Amino acid sequence: MKGSCLCGDIRFETDAIPQGPSMCHCGQCRKQSGGVWSSAYVAEDALAIHGPVRWFASSATAKRGSCPTCGSFLFWKANDEDTISFSLGAVDGPTGLALIKHIFVAEKGDYYDIADGVPQRD
């Protein structure tokens, strides 16, 4: 699986099978993406990242990675985990994945409904 930011300055790839495909509705993801953020994760050492990722410590427990040129929000990494999440929207071509959950739905925007039948977690 390969992906990139909007301008192409950052590319990523993995041969691992991504886990946990989800849509996050938390306030931070909504502010950074303009809506919900869909992602999946792999072991950090299984994701090759090429390019100048700008990391932002969005909380005391995690950081977010984006492209300093085009602003694409590409990665999320918990400080105490050995996995890294990447944007499903940045994947080149079909992912072959299906969502397994919506997370932080208590923080979702009031301007949309979640009606796809996928399990939801606060």
Side-chain angles (χ1 to χ4, degrees):
M1 185 173 288
K2 296 179 180 184
S4 66
C5 64
L6 182 61
C7 71
D9 281 356
I10 298 174
R11 300 202 56 76
F12 61 90
E13 59 188 291
T14 185
D15 290 330
I17 298 171
Q19 303 296 308
S22 64
M23 295 191 85
C24 184
H25 302 265
C26 81
Q28 288 185 359
C29 281
R30 287 190 304 110
K31 284 184 181 281
Q32 192 161 19
S33 70
V36 298
W37 192 62
S38 57
S39 68
Y41 65 87
V42 294
E44 186 173 18
D45 62 4
L47 187 69
I49 300 173
H50 312 282
V53 176
R54 177 177 290 153
W55 291 98
F56 169 68
S58 55
S59 71
T61 60
K63 61 185 179 180
R64 295 162 178 269
S66 61
C67 175
T69 303
C70 68
S72 295
F73 168 31
L74 300 169
F75 309 109
W76 183 90
K77 172 81 178 92
N79 297 339
D80 63 351
E81 295 179 6
D82 62 355
T83 60
I84 186 169
S85 295
F86 60 91
S87 171
L88 292 176
V91 171
D92 298 334
T95 66
L97 302 172
L99 292 178
I100 63 166
K101 62 187 172 185
H102 289 271
I103 58 176
F104 296 100
V105 297
E107 295 180 41
K108 81 169 205 55
D110 63 353
Y111 47 89
Y112 64 93
D113 293 319
I114 304 171
D116 58 7
V118 175
Q120 300 179 25
R121 289 188 4 212
D122 282 341

